[in-house]
Amino acid sequence: MAYMKFKELTKYFDFKTEVLDSSLLPEYVVEYIEENEKSMLAYKNSKDYILFTNHKMLLFDRDPLAAYYKKVHIVPYKSISTGAINFMPGKVELLFSLDSGYQLHINFVGMNHDKKENLKLIFKQIMKE
């Protein structure tokens, strides 16, 4: 008998603050951007970062209690099999199914119309790959 167990790739992330200037990103985030890539959009919360480039999504999960704990998820857009974007009042939720069968849920809170449009453009870029 075979069965597939549902397991999320990451916990839920709630990102609120857009990082407008990529020079404000920490060095440990920037070092994962390849020379042929360009940073398109970045968000942060109190401890975590998400960075969208033109080829991949980078999720940085830091634990403030364990100073040296940092988990980095690199998700190439070509490994995403399906995706959905949910628009709610003040919130956007990105839902992805990866080729490996894992699910990824990313929430963006405190969104106005312009920020929702930016995420819609990123979502279109991701699903185009």
Side-chain angles (χ1 to χ4, degrees):
M1 171 185 268
Y3 67 93
M4 182 183 296
K5 183 176 178 184
F6 174 79
K7 180 181 175 189
E8 286 189 63
L9 178 65
T10 62
K11 60 187 177 188
Y12 282 85
F13 289 95
D14 287 327
F15 292 100
K16 185 172 185 175
T17 308
E18 185 175 351
V19 180
L20 297 174
D21 187 2
S22 59
S23 66
L24 300 175
L25 292 169
E27 183 61 35
Y28 70 85
V29 173
V30 176
E31 70 184 28
Y32 285 92
I33 302 174
E34 302 294 326
E35 289 181 18
N36 63 339
E37 288 181 309
K38 73 172 192 170
S39 172
M40 296 182 352
L41 191 59
Y43 279 88
K44 69 176 188 168
N45 60 22
S46 60
K47 59 183 180 61
D48 303 324
Y49 284 89
I50 187 167
L51 174 67
F52 297 98
T53 72
N54 54 336
H55 295 293
K56 64 188 173 202
M57 178 184 349
L58 301 160
L59 266 167
F60 297 88
D61 182 13
R62 292 187 314 142
D63 187 350
L65 301 177
Y68 297 108
Y69 174 81
K70 191 179 337 173
K71 193 179 213 179
V72 180
H73 297 280
I74 300 173
V75 181
Y77 297 151
K78 64 183 177 185
S79 71
I80 297 173
S81 55
T82 63
I85 186 168
N86 293 331
F87 295 101
M88 296 164 266
K91 183 178 178 181
V92 175
E93 183 178 42
L94 296 178
L95 308 164
F96 298 109
S97 295
L98 306 181
D99 290 342
S100 62
Y102 285 106
Q103 305 294 311
L104 181 60
H105 300 260
I106 306 165
N107 298 318
F108 298 88
V109 295
M111 298 282 109
N112 62 23
H113 176 72
D114 293 337
K115 290 180 180 180
K116 286 181 179 182
E117 286 297 315
N118 289 342
L119 284 170
K120 184 167 81 172
L121 292 174
I122 290 294
F123 180 74
K124 286 179 173 181
Q125 172 72 29
I126 290 170
M127 297 314 292
K128 185 171 68 170
E129 291 289 321

